Amino acid sequence: MNGGIHMKKKYILVVVIVLGLILIFLSILGVKKYNIIKEIIQKSDEYCNKENVYHKISATDSSLAYVELFKNKEKEKIVVEKNEDKTKLIQYITTDGYKTYFEDTNGEITEMSQNQKIFPIDTITIYLVFKDRANMFFNSIFANIKSEKDGDKEYFVITDINCQATEYGTKAKYYINKENGLVEKIEMKHEDNSVSIVTHEYKFDVVTDKDF
């Protein structure tokens, strides 16, 4: 009987040690992933207030071919092209207000009345947003982070992460430029197994007065 009790205690001790080792391993892995994600966010934050930016967005499941933002200090230009007929909306934003134009398929341009942005495009688009640091750390533990190279660019490819930008029922794969921390591509698998891709193109300090 005493031998049985001894074996039971020994078994419990082994289980406790194994669970402890697993928790230590997860903590170490979580800290490593947390630091990667933290560094990505810190790098991308540096570009939020850039005064000279070109930003282009396109999506495979959108009615729009693309959206472009040209920003130079207090001046902005937004260009939206439709997939169906290739018509465009062009908007100039300055401290004086908005000037918006419609360009038809023949290239003829007419002015429109518009007192707000024609598309909510920002200097950069931020995807990795969390409620707080604890939520960020918890999600980091279970995130899958790999490195990939495409030409001369190196990316962090992140999946299985639940951030505020992730749509409910959607599995997202984020391609994040290691150099600047900006998300350049997102592959999204939806509940119906369809896949959509959103791409972001960024250029800095290239916009001139000629673009306006």
Side-chain angles (χ1 to χ4, degrees):
M1 185 175 178
N2 289 334
I5 295 173
H6 177 72
M7 287 298 294
K8 189 175 181 181
K9 286 182 177 179
K10 188 176 180 181
Y11 174 75
I12 292 172
L13 180 61
V14 170
V15 171
V16 170
I17 292 172
V18 171
L19 289 175
L21 290 173
I22 291 172
L23 287 173
I24 291 170
F25 174 76
L26 287 175
S27 296
I28 294 171
L29 192 62
V31 168
K32 182 180 179 182
K33 292 178 179 179
Y34 173 84
N35 286 333
I36 290 173
I37 292 171
K38 182 180 176 183
E39 184 181 1
I40 288 170
I41 293 172
Q42 287 174 341
K43 283 184 176 181
S44 64
D45 282 348
E46 295 176 11
Y47 290 85
C48 287
N49 298 317
K50 280 281 189 180
E51 292 188 330
N52 190 297
V53 180
Y54 170 79
H55 180 190
K56 182 178 181 180
I57 306 174
S58 57
T60 56
D61 62 345
S62 174
S63 61
L64 305 177
Y66 62 83
V67 180
E68 290 178 309
L69 169 69
F70 300 80
K71 181 178 180 180
N72 189 357
K73 295 182 180 179
E74 295 179 342
K75 296 188 297 184
E76 292 185 15
K77 181 175 81 171
I78 300 173
V79 180
V80 178
E81 182 176 302
K82 292 184 178 180
N83 261 323
E84 185 179 2
D85 54 12
K86 303 303 178 185
T87 57
K88 294 179 182 177
L89 288 176
I90 304 167
Q91 185 176 64
Y92 299 89
I93 306 171
T94 66
T95 52
D96 295 326
Y98 300 84
K99 283 189 177 294
T100 309
Y101 303 90
F102 172 77
E103 182 179 321
D104 65 20
T105 52
N106 298 316
E108 293 188 14
I109 298 174
T110 54
E111 188 169 357
M112 301 172 58
S113 177
Q114 184 78 18
N115 292 319
Q116 60 184 10
K117 273 190 173 183
I118 55 175
F119 191 89
I121 184 171
D122 296 314
T123 304
I124 67 169
T125 301
I126 299 174
Y127 288 93
L128 300 183
V129 179
F130 303 91
K131 293 179 182 178
D132 48 44
R133 289 188 178 183
N135 178 258
M136 180 176 161
F137 181 78
F138 179 79
N139 279 282
S140 300
I141 294 174
F142 299 100
N144 185 0
I145 303 177
K146 296 181 179 179
S147 292
E148 287 188 13
K149 193 169 183 178
D150 184 8
D152 60 347
K153 288 186 178 181
E154 293 187 359
Y155 294 92
F156 285 118
V157 181
I158 301 180
T159 55
D160 301 324
I161 190 163
N162 185 24
C163 54
Q164 291 182 17
T166 307
E167 296 178 10
Y168 178 78
T170 298
K171 294 181 179 179
K173 181 186 287 188
Y174 299 95
Y175 291 78
I176 302 170
N177 191 313
K178 285 187 177 184
E179 184 179 352
N180 53 34
L182 300 178
V183 176
E184 293 189 358
K185 184 170 74 171
I186 311 100
E187 293 180 2
M188 292 175 286
K189 188 174 183 180
H190 306 282
E191 286 185 302
D192 60 358
N193 288 325
S194 63
V195 177
S196 59
I197 299 174
V198 178
T199 57
H200 294 266
E201 179 185 348
Y202 295 99
K203 295 178 183 178
F204 300 97
D205 302 319
V206 297
V207 180
T208 67
D209 289 338
K210 293 179 181 179
D211 295 304
F212 296 90

